[in-house]
């Protein structure tokens, strides 16, 4: 497993000690120890390595950038000055980090390399975190920049929703479309969702952005209804982070009420892996949403591990077969058999199947032969702006 070793140092500690006396110095060490350990998660370990140096083992790091996030949290706690008798002082920290196994395999090596990171932090003037490797430092600063820009994007409306129609595999008529977020950043240009959605999730900004996508999609559907088009359902993706939100069903129902459209015109897409996480909880949320009149699709089916007995109890309408299967369907007989089995199983459970990422006529023909119900993909249309997708409604 990946884990990180951090060495944290109090900036200017010698100066503070010399100027305010060792009693103040000791007090600072105590407060620092409290604040740092308070910001750690269950299972992390902290020790005093000597003097004003703390050592931390971050266990269970999912991505190496997580350590930078925890350090930011620690820094926030240090925005509060430390008081002692009549004096008060602002204390800042520097940190160096190394990762097991990439930056070292033994304790000595990991601590040594974390200290190299720490020296870099001191050279930069302190109050910062630095990693042993250059690539890590670059990655973290890019991520920090992306976070900043995403926050700005929310305030300055840099997001857009595009729509990708999906069609009946036999009649080739548009029967619905999927809302897909687009980000055209002033600084970075167009950024694909695969790059920024994980950052939105990590920072929980996905709550606001996801709510916006839903509002915007509802507003768009209302506009189409008002223009006299025969409206088709629009699918909105829900992230696992949103799905875990306590009042998700209420939020969605409220948004819909405000929009003036029927809930039947909104489908919610949730990935298979998200659905299988906490089965009891999942069932409750889905039942609420289904009860409120929404349709539900399982996204990226085939990439997670579904329990069929659990699946059977979920109020789901559509099953979207993951693009990875469709990509192989024309040249790999095993994949074609799996897709056949998925479609058969879905039909037994009264679910409609949607093939994702259909790019060629050949794939479309095979899927039609296998009795897949609907298809979505570049063969029919790429995701396009609301204005462009109107031609399908026409
Ligand atoms: P997804 O939900 O599986 O969406 C389908 C993705 O497949 C879209 O990528 C779409 O552009 C792409 N696609 C459609 N047809 C084809 C095809 O024929 N060939 C290929 N190669 N790709 C095709 P996109 O728009 O880049 O979105 C990527 C992922 O980002 C989505 O995967 C979804 O997980 C997430 N996402 C996008 N918009 C939202 C959103 O509003 N909220 C949330 N939570 N996630 C979103
Ligand atoms: Ca989707
Ligand atoms: Ca998908």
């Amino acid at each position: 497993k990946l884990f990180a070793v951090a060495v944290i140092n109090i900036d200017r500690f010698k100066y503070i000690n010399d100027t305010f006396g060792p009693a103040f110095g000791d007090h600072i060490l105590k407060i620092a120890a409290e604040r740092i350990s308070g910001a750690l998660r269950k299972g992390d370990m902290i020790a005093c390595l000597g003097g004003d140096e703390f050592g931390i083992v971050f266990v269970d790091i999912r991505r190496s950038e997580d350590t930078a996030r925890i350090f930011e949290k620690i820094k926030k706690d240090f925005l509060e000055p430390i008081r002692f008798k009549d004096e008060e002082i602002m204390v800042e920290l520097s940190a160096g980090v190394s990762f097991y196994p990439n930056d070292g395999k033994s304790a000595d090596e990991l601590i040594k390399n974390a200290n190299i990171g720490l020296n870099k932090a001191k050279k930069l003037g302190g109050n910062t975190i630095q990693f042993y490797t250059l690539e890590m430092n670059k990655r973290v600063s890019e991520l920090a920049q992306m976070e900043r820009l995403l926050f700005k994007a929310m305030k300055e409306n840099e997001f857009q929703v595009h729509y990708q129609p999906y069609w009946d595999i036999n009649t080739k008529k548009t029967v619905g479309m999927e809302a897909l977020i687009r980000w055209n950043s002033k600084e970075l240009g167009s950024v694909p969702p695969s790059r920024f959605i994980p950052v939105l999730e990590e920072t929980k900004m996905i709550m606001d952005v996801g709510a916006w996508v839903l509002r915007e999609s509802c507003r768009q559907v209302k506009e189409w209804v008002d223009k006299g088009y025969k409206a088709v359902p629009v699918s909105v993706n829900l992230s696992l982070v949103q799905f875990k939100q306590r009042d998700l069903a209420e939020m969605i129902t409220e948004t819909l009420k405000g929009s003036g459209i029927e809930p039947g015109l909104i489908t919610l897409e949730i990935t298979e892996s998200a659905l299988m996480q906490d089965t009891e909880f999942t069932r409750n949320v889905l039942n609420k949403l289904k009860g409120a009149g929404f349709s539900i699709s399982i996204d990226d089916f085939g990439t997670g591990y579904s329990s069929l007995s659990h699946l059977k109890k979920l109020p789901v309408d559509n099953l979207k077969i993951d693009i990875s299967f469709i990509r192989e369907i024309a040249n790999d007989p095993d994949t074609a058999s799996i897709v056949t089995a998925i479609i058969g199983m879905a039909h037994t459970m009264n679910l409609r199947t949607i093939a994702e990422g259909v790019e060629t006529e050949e794939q479309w023909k095979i899927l039609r032969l296998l009795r897949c119900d609907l298809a979505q993909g570049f063969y029919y249309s790429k995701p396009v702006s609301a204005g462009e997708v109107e031609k399908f409604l026409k």
Side-chain angles (χ1 to χ4, degrees):
K1 258 192 171 175
L2 184 68
F3 71 83
V5 172
V7 176
I8 295 191
N9 209 239
I10 296 172
D11 292 343
R12 303 186 303 146
F13 186 71
K14 187 172 162 3
Y15 164 82
I16 297 169
N17 224 4
D18 292 348
T19 318
F20 297 92
F24 197 173
D26 285 351
H27 180 69
I28 286 177
L29 287 177
K30 279 187 205 156
I31 300 293
E34 271 168 27
R35 287 186 187 174
I36 297 171
S37 40
L40 301 184
R41 304 150 318 158
K42 232 167 69 193
D44 290 341
M45 289 175 256
I46 178 165
C48 184
L49 297 181
D52 60 326
E53 195 161 283
F54 298 95
I56 300 174
V57 178
F58 291 107
V59 293
D60 205 14
I61 289 286
R62 256 180 313 132
R63 298 185 311 160
S64 33
E65 298 88 292
D66 293 350
T67 51
R69 218 177 291 284
I70 301 171
F71 185 70
E72 287 309 312
K73 205 167 105 198
I74 296 175
K75 263 172 66 172
K76 275 209 190 98
D77 294 335
F78 277 83
L79 290 176
E80 170 94 9
I82 296 183
R83 289 182 194 84
F84 186 64
K85 296 195 175 140
D86 295 335
E87 315 269 13
E88 78 170 29
I89 185 174
M90 289 302 292
V91 170
E92 291 179 344
L93 307 173
S94 295
V97 181
S98 63
F99 294 98
Y100 174 88
N102 283 359
D103 301 342
K105 297 228 166 34
S106 69
D108 278 349
E109 212 179 343
L110 287 165
I111 292 175
K112 189 190 90 202
N113 289 340
N115 267 308
I116 291 177
L118 180 63
N119 283 335
K120 286 193 220 174
K122 296 261 165 187
K123 279 205 190 104
L124 288 173
N127 197 27
T128 186
I129 184 170
Q130 287 289 303
F131 298 88
Y132 171 61
T133 59
L134 255 170
E135 302 97 86
M136 255 324 286
N137 285 321
K138 199 163 146 251
R139 225 165 96 193
V140 166
S141 68
E142 275 170 9
L143 203 75
Q145 184 203 29
M146 170 111 41
E147 269 183 44
R148 226 175 24 249
L149 293 178
L150 279 169
F151 192 72
K152 195 168 80 76
M154 277 199 315
K155 286 193 301 189
E156 297 180 5
N157 306 320
E158 287 180 355
F159 295 119
Q160 262 189 313
V161 179
H162 276 194
Y163 300 86
Q164 185 179 32
Y166 48 82
W167 79 100
D168 185 298
I169 212 151
N170 296 309
T171 66
K172 283 200 158 182
K173 278 204 175 117
T174 301
V175 291
M177 42 182 119
E178 177 171 6
L180 293 159
I181 192 167
R182 293 293 175 262
W183 179 26
N184 217 324
S185 157
K186 273 188 207 83
E187 291 79 3
L188 305 174
S190 145
V191 187
S194 55
R195 274 192 60 211
F196 68 84
I197 298 268
V199 183
L200 288 177
E201 291 180 326
E202 196 66 45
T203 53
K204 306 277 186 281
M205 280 192 263
I206 193 71
M207 303 275 202
D208 291 332
V209 177
W212 175 81
V213 171
L214 178 68
R215 267 200 319 277
E216 172 58 20
S217 305
C218 290
R219 189 202 60 73
Q220 187 59 60
V221 174
K222 175 81 168 99
E223 191 184 309
W224 285 326
V225 171
D226 289 348
K227 277 186 174 170
Y229 292 121
K230 183 174 172 295
V232 295
V234 168
S235 299
V236 176
N237 290 285
L238 289 182
S239 137
L240 175 60
V241 177
Q242 286 173 282
F243 195 65
K244 283 183 175 159
Q245 191 182 333
R246 286 269 145 239
D247 55 349
L248 175 76
E250 287 76 11
M251 183 280 276
I252 295 179
T253 316
E254 279 307 305
T255 304
L256 208 91
K257 270 190 198 142
S259 74
I261 60 167
E262 294 298 316
L265 286 176
I266 296 293
T267 302
L268 301 164
E269 288 196 7
I270 304 152
T271 61
E272 179 190 23
S273 37
L275 280 185
M276 292 301 146
Q277 285 227 339
D278 180 344
T279 50
E280 188 62 42
F281 175 75
T282 309
R283 203 155 57 213
N284 278 336
V285 179
L286 291 190
N287 279 332
K288 260 196 230 169
L289 290 170
K290 188 72 199 168
F294 298 97
S295 301
I296 293 157
S297 294
I298 306 186
D299 208 351
D300 305 344
F301 187 85
T303 58
Y305 300 93
S306 276
S307 144
L308 292 184
S309 62
H310 173 53
L311 194 61
K312 205 177 59 190
K313 291 182 204 135
L314 295 179
V316 176
D317 304 276
N318 310 302
L319 186 155
K320 300 188 80 169
I321 306 168
D322 190 66
I323 185 169
S324 54
F325 296 99
I326 310 308
R327 214 177 273 137
E328 299 291 319
I329 201 165
N331 27 28
D332 178 27
D334 288 346
T335 303
S337 319
I338 296 175
V339 172
T340 311
I342 294 179
I343 294 172
M345 178 207 70
H347 287 165
T348 320
M349 293 188 188
N350 276 323
L351 304 179
R352 280 197 309 182
T353 47
I354 307 180
E356 292 196 284
V358 178
E359 290 183 354
T360 65
E361 181 171 2
E362 193 186 7
Q363 291 168 343
W364 164 65
K365 281 189 172 154
I366 297 174
L367 286 157
R368 193 178 53 173
L369 215 67
L370 299 182
R371 302 195 174 281
C372 183
D373 305 286
L374 315 171
Q376 178 180 354
F378 298 169
Y379 175 54
Y380 189 59
S381 167
K382 295 204 163 183
V384 291
S385 68
E388 280 177 88
V389 91
E390 276 190 25
K391 67 169 182 271
F392 293 95
L393 294 174
K394 279 179 186 147

